[in-house]
C-alpha cells in the first residue's frame, strides 16, 4: 500500500513538469513569432502605415436657383455632359501629356474659345515639354557657369534655368504648333490647372453623345479621366444673345476655368472653396453667394505615399444651394422692358446722343423692387453694329442732373427751415442779379404771385429760387441787386435735407457697386449754383435714388431701404415648386424725415395736381387718370458726358410718381438723358404705360384668381 502511494507521488511532479514544459514551448513560439514580426517585418508594416494618407476632396454641387416673386423660375442650372480629369500626386508631366494626346483623339477641343484661353506661358511650357532637346540647347555652358557662381540652391538654380529657357523661345517657335498640337495643349492645360486629387473639368460644353460614349469605353487606358455630369447657369427667359430680363442686375458667376476671383482668393480659400470653384462675380450672384453656393460633397480618399488612391468613401453628403426668391415680378419686368425699348427707339430717331432710358419701380411701403429696367444702344467693337442691350444696372450705377422732379424736396426743406410755410405766396418773375444771367421759370415771363402748390403744379423755377435764397439768408429779391446768400450754409442745409429722402446718398439696395452721384461735398463756385441746386440742376442722382425719394413722400415720410431679395428657400428637385422658407426679407426703415406729417400731405396734394389738374405739367401726357397717379415732371439742361465724346448742352427729361395717390402701392422713376430738345415727352409716355402695365397685370391676376375660386366653388357644389 505504501509503495503504491509513493509511486503516485512521484507521478504528480512529473506531469506538472510536462505541463510547464509545454507552456514554455508555447510562450517561446509566441515570443519568437512576435519577435520575427517586429524585427523582420516591422519596418514594412510601419512603412505601409506611414504611406497611407487620408485626403478630403470637395466636389461641386449645383447652385441655388433664382425665382421671381410669383415663383416663376428666372435662373436655373442646365445639366451638362462632362469629361473630367483627376490628377494624382504621383503622375508625371510626361504621363499627363500622354493622356492628353490620347484624349485629343477621342474628343474635340478646338473651338475659338479653347484656343483663346491658351496663354503665352502655356505655349512656352508646352514647347519645352514637347521639344526637350531644343529646349536644353537654349542654355549654354557659359549660362550655367554664371548661375553656379551665384551659389544658388538646386531648386532656385533649376528655376533660373527654366525661366531663361522660356525667355529664349522665339515667337516663331511659339506659333509653330499645328491645330492638332494646340488641341492637345488645350486639354493638357486643363488637366494641369487643377489641384491634385481634385476633379478638373476638361470639357463640359457641346460634349456629344459619341464623345461621352467613346471616352467612357476607354477609361481603363485613361488614368484619372472620367465621364460625369456638370451644370451651367441658364437664363430661363432669354433673348437671342442668351441674356434674360434683368440680366445685368442678376450678375454672372465665374466659369470653372476662371475659378475663384484673384482679388478675393484668400477669402474664399479660407471658407473652404477650391481654386476652380464657380462663384458669383457680380451683383445678385455675388451679393447672395453664400445663399446660392451649395454644401459641397466631401469625399475622403485614402492614398499611399506616392499619392495613388487606395480607397474612397463619401465622408459628407453634398446639397444644392438654397434658392433665392426676388421681389421682382418677371412678367411686369418684361412689360416694362418692352415699353422702355419701344419708346426709346421711337424717340431716338434724329437724336444723336440719346442712347438710353431707365426706369425703377418700387413698392413705397415695403422697399420691394418690382422692376428695374434699362435699355441702351451700344455699338459692338467687333461688328460695328448698333444693338440694344440690357442696362437695368444703370439705375444704380449712373447718375444725371434730374431737374424739377426734386422740387418737392425743395419745398419741404423750405418748410423745415422756416423759409416758407404752406400756402405762402411768392412772386414768380424773371430774376436779374448783378453780374449774372437772368434766372427765370420755363414760361419766360413768370407766373406772377403763386403759392407752393401752384409752384409744384406748374413747376415754377422762381418759387424754388426764392425759397433757396431765404434758406441762404436773403429774404428779399432786389432787381439788379446782388445775390447775397451764404452759399456754403445754404448748400449744406439743402443737401442735408435732400439726403433724408435718399438724394445724394446710397439707397442701401442689396447690390454691390451702388453709386451716389456727383456733387455731394463740393462747394458751389458761385451763389447762383445754390439756386440751380434747388431745381435739380447742380448735383446728380441715380434713378434708384429718385424712386426712393418719391417713395419717402408717398408713404408719409419714411425712407425705406430698397431690396431685390424677398425670401430664401430650401432647394427642391422640382424647379416649378418652391421649398420651405428659411428667411424672409422684411422692410427696413432707414430714417423718418424731420418734417411734420401735415407738410408731407400738403406736398402730396401738389404732386396730385401735377397729373390731375388741367394746368399740371403732367396732365396732358399722363392719360391714365383712373389709376390716381401723383407725380412730378422734370427737365434738366446739362453737359453731355456720354460715350460719343464732346460736351454739348443737352436735356435730361425725367419723371417721378406713385399710385394710387390715396393708398400708394407703386412708385416709379423715369430718366431719359441727353435729348437735343426739351420738348420730348418720352419720359411721361413711359411712365403712363408703366402704370397701366402694373394695374392691368394686377387686374388680370385678380380675375384669374377669382375664376379659379369660382371653379373650385363649382366643383365643391357638384360634390
Amino acid at each position: 500500500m505504501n509503495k503504491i502511494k509513493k509511486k503516485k507521488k512521484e507521478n504528480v511532479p512529473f506531469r506538472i513538469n510536462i505541463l510547464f514544459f509545454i507552456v514554455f514551448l508555447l510562450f517561446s513560439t509566441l515570443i519568437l513569432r512576435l519577435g520575427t514580426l517586429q524585427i523582420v517585418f516591422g519596418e514594412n508594416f510601419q512603412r505601409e502605415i506611414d504611406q497611407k494618407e487620408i485626403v478630403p476632396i470637395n466636389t461641386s454641387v449645383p447652385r441655388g436657383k433664382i425665382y421671381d416673386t410669383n415663383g416663376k423660375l428666372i435662373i436655373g442650372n442646365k445639366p451638362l455632359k462632362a469629361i473630367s480629369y483627376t490628377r494624382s500626386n504621383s503622375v508625371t508631366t510626361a504621363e499627363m501629356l500622354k493622356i492628353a494626346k490620347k484624349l485629343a483623339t477621342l474628343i474635340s477641343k478646338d473651338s475659338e474659345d479653347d484656343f483663346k484661353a491658351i496663354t503665352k506661358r502655356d505655349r512656352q511650357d508646352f514647347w519645352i515639354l514637347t521639344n526637350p532637346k531644343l529646349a536644353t540647347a537654349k542654355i549654354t555652358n557659359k549660362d550655367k557657369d554664371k548661375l553656379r557662381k551665384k551659389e544658388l540652391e538646386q531648386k532656385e538654380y533649376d528655376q533660373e534655368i527654366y525661366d531663361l529657357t522660356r525667355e529664349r523661345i522665339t515667337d516663331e517657335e511659339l506659333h509653330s504648333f499645328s491645330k492638332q498640337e494646340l488641341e492637345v495643349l488645350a486639354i493638357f492645360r486643363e488637366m494641369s490647372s487643377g489641384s491634385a486629387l481634385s476633379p478638373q473639368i476638361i470639357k463640359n460644353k457641346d460634349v456629344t453623345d459619341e464623345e461621352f460614349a467613346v471616352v467612357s469605353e476607354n477609361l481603363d487606358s485613361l488614368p484619372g479621366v472620367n465621364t460625369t455630369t456638370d451644370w451651367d447657369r441658364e437664363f430661363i427667359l432669354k433673348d437671342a444673345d442668351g441674356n434674360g430680363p434683368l440680366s445685368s442686375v442678376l450678375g454672372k458667376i465665374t466659369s470653372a476655368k476662371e475659378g475663384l476671383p484673384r482679388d478675393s482668393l484668400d477669402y474664399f480659400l479660407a471658407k473652404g472653396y477650391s481654386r476652380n470653384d464657380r462663384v458669383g462675380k457680380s451683383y445678385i450672384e455675388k451679393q447672395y453667394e453664400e445663399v446660392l453656393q451649395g454644401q459641397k460633397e466631401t469625399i475622403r480618399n485614402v492614398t499611399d505615399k506616392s499619392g495613388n488612391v487606395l480607397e474612397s468613401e463619401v465622408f459628407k453628403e453634398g446639397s444644392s444651394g438654397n434658392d433665392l426668391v426676388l421681389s421682382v415680378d418677371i412678367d411686369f419686368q418684361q412689360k416694362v422692358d418692352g415699353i422702355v425699348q419701344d419708346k426709346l427707339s421711337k424717340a431716338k430717331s434724329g437724336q444723336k446722343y440719346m442712347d438710353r432710358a431707365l426706369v425703377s419701380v418700387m413698392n413705397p411701403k415695403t422697399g420691394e423692387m418690382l422692376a428695374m429696367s434699362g435699355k441702351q444702344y451700344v455699338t459692338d467693337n467687333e461688328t460695328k453694329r448698333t444693338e440694344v442691350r440690357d442696362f437695368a444696372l444703370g439705375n444704380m450705377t449712373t447718375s444725371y442732373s434730374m431737374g424739377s422732379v426734386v422740387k418737392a424736396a425743395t419745398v419741404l426743406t423750405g418748410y423745415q427751415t422756416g423759409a416758407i410755410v404752406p400756402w405762402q405766396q411768392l412772386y414768380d418773375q424773371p430774376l436779374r442779379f448783378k453780374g449774372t444771367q437772368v434766372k427765370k421759370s420755363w414760361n419766360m415771363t413768370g407766373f406772377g404771385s403763386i403759392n407752393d402748390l401752384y409752384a409744384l403744379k406748374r413747376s415754377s423755377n422762381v418759387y424754388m429760387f426764392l425759397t433757396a435764397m431765404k434758406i441762404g439768408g436773403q429774404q428779399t429779391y432786389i432787381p439788379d441787386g446782388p445775390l447775397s446768400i451764404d452759399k456754403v450754409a445754404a448748400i449744406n442745409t439743402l443737401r442735408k435735407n435732400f439726403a433724408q429722402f435718399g438724394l445724394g446718398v446710397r439707397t442701401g439696395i442689396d447690390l454691390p457697386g451702388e453709386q451716389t452721384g456727383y456733387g455731394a461735398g463740393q462747394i458751389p463756385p458761385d451763389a447762383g449754383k445754390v439756386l440751380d441746386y434747388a431745381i435739380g440742376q447742380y448735383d446728380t442722382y441715380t434713378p434708384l435714388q429718385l424712386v426712393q425719394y418719391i417713395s419717402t413722400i408717398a408713404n408719409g415720410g419714411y425712407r425705406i431701404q430698397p431690396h431685390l431679395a424677398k425670401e430664401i428657400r430650401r432647394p427642391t428637385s422640382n424647379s416649378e415648386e418652391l421649398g420651405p422658407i428659411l428667411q424672409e426679407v422684411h422692410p427696413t426703415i432707414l430714417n423718418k424725415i424731420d418734417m411734420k406729417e401735415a407738410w408731407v400731405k400738403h406736398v402730396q396734394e401738389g404732386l396730385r395736381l401735377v397729373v390731375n389738374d388741367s394746368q399740371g405739367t403732367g396732365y396732358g401726357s399722363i392719360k391714365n387718370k383712373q389709376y390716381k397717379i401723383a407725380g412730378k415732371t422734370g427737365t434738366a439742361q446739362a453737359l453731355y458726358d456720354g460715350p460719343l465724346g464732346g460736351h454739348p448742352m443737352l436735356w435730361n427729361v425725367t419723371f417721378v410718381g406713385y399710385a394710387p395717390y390715396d393708398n400708394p402701392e407703386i412708385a416709379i422713376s423715369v430718366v431719359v438723358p441727353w435729348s437735343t430738345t426739351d420738348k420730348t415727352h418720352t419720359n411721361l409716355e413711359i411712365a403712363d404705360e408703366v402704370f397701366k402695365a402694373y394695374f392691368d397685370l394686377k387686374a388680370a391676376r385678380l380675375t384669374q384668381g377669382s375664376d379659379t375660386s369660382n371653379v373650385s366653388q363649382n366643383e365643391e357644389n357638384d360634390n
Side-chain angles (χ1 to χ4, degrees):
M1 189 74 177
N2 291 334
K3 285 182 180 180
I4 293 172
K5 287 181 179 179
K6 187 175 181 181
K7 190 173 182 180
K8 284 183 178 179
K9 287 180 180 179
E10 290 175 352
N11 287 339
V12 171
F14 177 76
R15 289 174 182 172
I16 291 173
N17 289 336
I18 291 295
L19 182 62
F20 279 140
F21 181 71
I22 291 171
V23 171
F24 171 75
L25 289 177
L26 289 174
F27 270 105
S28 297
T29 303
L30 180 61
I31 291 168
L32 181 64
R33 180 60 179 162
L34 289 172
T36 303
L37 289 174
Q38 184 173 352
I39 297 169
V40 179
F41 300 106
E43 290 185 8
N44 292 337
F45 286 132
Q46 186 63 47
R47 191 180 300 114
E48 187 174 341
I49 292 171
D50 292 341
Q51 284 178 344
K52 286 187 177 181
E53 184 179 359
I54 298 175
V55 182
I57 298 296
N58 295 323
T59 59
S60 180
V61 293
R63 196 169 175 82
K65 298 182 284 290
I66 299 178
Y67 294 86
D68 86 335
T69 188
N70 298 309
K72 184 173 287 189
L73 187 62
I74 302 175
I75 296 182
N77 300 309
K78 178 173 65 175
L80 301 171
K81 296 186 187 73
I83 295 162
S84 68
Y85 175 74
T86 304
R87 177 166 58 89
S88 71
N89 286 320
S90 61
V91 71
T92 65
T93 305
E95 289 170 336
M96 285 175 58
L97 179 60
K98 185 178 178 181
I99 296 168
K101 286 180 177 178
K102 180 162 187 179
L103 196 54
T105 65
L106 305 178
I107 66 172
S108 171
K109 195 167 175 65
D110 57 359
S111 70
E112 186 177 344
D113 288 341
D114 290 325
F115 289 168
K116 273 185 178 179
I118 297 172
T119 65
K120 182 179 179 180
R121 177 64 182 265
D122 292 331
R123 287 176 178 267
Q124 290 172 334
D125 291 342
F126 193 68
W127 188 90
I128 293 172
L129 184 62
T130 54
N131 298 275
K133 290 183 179 180
L134 293 175
T136 301
K138 296 279 184 186
I139 306 300
T140 65
N141 290 331
K142 187 178 180 180
D143 295 325
K144 295 176 182 177
D145 291 339
K146 188 176 180 180
L147 288 174
R148 288 193 188 101
K149 290 178 181 178
K150 291 184 178 181
E151 297 182 353
L152 302 171
E153 291 185 8
Q154 186 61 43
K155 189 176 181 180
E156 293 175 322
Y157 175 82
D158 292 341
Q159 186 62 49
E160 291 269 8
I161 291 289
Y162 195 77
D163 291 342
L164 192 58
T165 304
R166 284 194 305 103
E167 290 175 11
R168 291 180 178 177
I169 301 173
T170 66
D171 287 342
E172 184 179 354
E173 289 170 328
L174 287 180
H175 292 87
S176 63
F177 300 121
S178 64
K179 184 179 178 182
Q180 289 74 21
E181 288 174 318
L182 285 174
E183 193 169 4
V184 173
L185 171 53
I187 293 172
F188 179 79
R189 74 182 298 274
E190 298 293 355
M191 294 171 65
S192 57
S193 62
S195 303
L197 302 181
S198 181
Q200 180 72 12
I201 296 296
I202 303 301
K203 183 177 181 181
N204 63 357
K205 291 186 178 180
D206 304 321
V207 176
T208 65
D209 293 339
E210 183 181 355
E211 286 177 329
F212 198 80
V214 74
V215 172
S216 298
E217 292 170 2
N218 288 273
L219 291 179
D220 289 342
S221 60
L222 295 166
V225 176
N226 194 16
T227 49
T228 182
T229 55
D230 194 29
W231 56 270
D232 195 15
R233 219 56 171 146
E234 179 182 37
F235 284 104
I236 304 304
L237 305 169
K238 56 187 175 184
D239 55 26
D241 296 324
N243 295 316
L246 211 66
S247 59
S248 63
V249 168
L250 292 168
K252 295 182 179 180
I253 65 170
T254 61
S255 65
K257 290 180 182 179
E258 291 175 286
L260 301 179
R262 196 171 285 179
D263 59 353
S264 50
L265 179 63
D266 293 339
Y267 168 80
F268 282 115
L269 290 176
K271 294 183 76 66
Y273 285 72
S274 300
R275 288 179 180 271
N276 61 345
D277 276 345
R278 286 162 285 188
V279 299
K281 65 179 180 181
S282 59
Y283 305 107
I284 284 288
E285 293 276 18
K286 181 178 181 180
Q287 182 75 18
Y288 290 97
E289 167 63 26
E290 293 188 7
V291 170
L292 297 167
Q293 182 68 247
Q295 178 64 54
K296 294 193 289 187
E297 181 180 75
T298 302
I299 298 175
R300 186 166 60 183
N301 288 327
V302 180
T303 68
D304 59 22
K305 193 173 183 180
S306 299
N308 298 309
V309 177
L310 301 176
E311 57 183 277
S312 297
E313 65 175 354
V314 176
F315 178 70
K316 187 177 182 181
E317 293 286 348
S319 61
S320 299
N322 291 320
D323 295 333
L324 184 66
V325 179
L326 303 182
S327 59
V328 171
D329 182 331
I330 206 64
D331 293 332
F332 178 54
Q333 174 73 39
Q334 288 182 293
K335 287 182 179 294
V336 176
D337 284 344
I339 292 166
V340 173
Q341 184 163 337
D342 176 61
K343 295 299 181 183
L344 177 61
S345 65
K346 290 176 180 176
K348 184 173 171 55
S349 178
Q351 292 270 18
K352 176 182 177 181
Y353 299 100
M354 184 188 289
D355 70 345
R356 65 193 67 184
L358 300 142
V359 175
S360 286
V361 187
M362 174 174 155
N363 183 321
K365 295 178 180 177
T366 67
E368 293 182 347
M369 294 303 301
L370 307 179
M372 283 179 72
S373 179
K375 295 297 176 182
Q376 181 183 21
Y377 281 86
V378 178
T379 301
D380 188 271
N381 291 330
E382 294 182 3
T383 64
K384 303 302 179 185
R385 292 178 57 185
T386 300
E387 55 191 39
V388 181
R389 293 182 185 172
D390 180 79
F391 195 52
L393 198 60
N395 282 281
M396 56 165 266
T397 60
T398 61
S399 63
Y400 311 90
S401 296
M402 297 300 190
S404 299
V405 289
V406 307
K407 287 177 178 175
T410 302
V411 171
L412 282 165
T413 301
Y415 300 157
Q416 198 273 339
T417 58
I420 57 173
V421 295
W423 298 108
Q424 182 165 341
Q425 297 271 334
L426 296 176
Y427 198 83
D428 185 322
Q429 62 181 320
L431 304 181
R432 293 177 173 83
F433 298 101
K434 186 177 181 180
T436 66
Q437 292 183 339
V438 63
K439 303 186 84 65
K440 55 192 176 184
S441 293
W442 57 269
N443 72 334
M444 303 299 179
T445 59
F447 294 109
S449 183
I450 59 174
N451 63 31
D452 47 355
L453 296 191
Y454 189 94
L456 288 171
K457 176 178 71 174
R458 298 292 283 158
S459 199
S460 164
N461 287 342
V462 172
Y463 197 98
M464 307 304 151
F465 294 153
L466 295 173
T467 300
M469 286 170 59
K470 290 175 179 291
I471 292 171
Q474 184 173 349
Q475 302 302 314
T476 306
Y477 162 65
I478 302 173
D480 297 316
L483 178 57
S484 302
I485 66 172
D486 185 335
K487 65 178 184 180
V488 175
I491 200 74
N492 287 341
T493 298
L494 285 163
R495 282 179 177 148
K496 178 183 176 182
N497 280 278
F498 274 41
Q500 292 187 64
F501 299 93
L503 295 173
V505 294
R506 286 188 174 85
T507 65
I509 191 170
D510 51 342
L511 286 172
E514 181 185 5
Q515 302 300 308
T516 57
Y518 298 100
Q522 296 180 5
I523 303 301
D526 57 72
K529 296 298 182 185
V530 176
L531 307 192
D532 293 339
Y533 181 96
I535 63 168
Q537 298 206 146
Y538 187 58
D539 284 5
T540 67
Y541 311 114
T542 67
L544 188 63
Q545 288 173 335
L546 281 193
V547 79
Q548 187 182 56
Y549 145 69
I550 198 61
S551 293
T552 304
I553 294 174
N555 67 33
Y558 296 90
R559 184 165 78 100
I560 307 292
Q561 181 177 345
H563 58 91
L564 282 157
K566 179 182 178 183
E567 297 166 345
I568 297 170
R569 291 180 175 257
R570 291 194 185 279
T572 62
S573 56
N574 185 355
S575 62
E576 297 181 1
E577 192 175 285
L578 292 174
I581 294 176
L582 288 173
Q583 182 181 336
E584 290 183 275
V585 179
H586 299 289
T588 299
I589 298 174
L590 299 177
N591 62 269
K592 186 179 187 304
I593 59 175
D594 184 21
M595 295 168 190
K596 293 180 181 178
E597 184 179 342
W599 295 345
V600 178
K601 287 184 176 180
H602 191 65
V603 167
Q604 287 174 347
E605 174 60 15
L607 298 178
R608 186 191 71 81
L609 295 173
V610 170
V611 176
N612 298 278
D613 187 281
S614 59
Q615 290 186 310
T617 54
Y619 182 81
S621 296
I622 303 292
K623 302 182 183 303
N624 290 290
K625 302 294 191 293
Q626 71 271 27
Y627 301 129
K628 297 183 177 180
I629 301 167
K632 185 70 190 76
T633 60
T635 306
Q637 193 171 22
L639 284 173
Y640 173 76
D641 60 352
L644 296 182
H647 299 287
M649 289 299 292
L650 299 173
W651 300 90
N652 301 335
V653 291
T654 59
F655 177 82
V656 294
Y658 55 90
Y661 48 68
D662 52 0
N663 187 22
E665 58 186 81
I666 173 178
I668 76 170
S669 69
V670 181
V671 179
V672 184
W674 305 331
S675 170
T676 54
T677 172
D678 62 343
K679 305 303 180 187
T680 179
H681 295 141
T682 305
N683 53 330
L684 303 180
E685 293 169 5
I686 290 174
D688 195 35
E689 291 204 18
V690 168
F691 279 119
K692 185 177 187 303
Y694 173 82
F695 287 106
D696 283 354
L697 190 59
K698 178 183 176 182
R701 286 193 170 132
L702 287 173
T703 302
Q704 186 179 11
S706 176
D707 290 343
T708 303
S709 299
N710 290 336
V711 169
S712 300
Q713 186 65 47
N714 291 336
E715 288 177 350
E716 188 176 321
N717 292 336
D718 291 341
N719 292 332

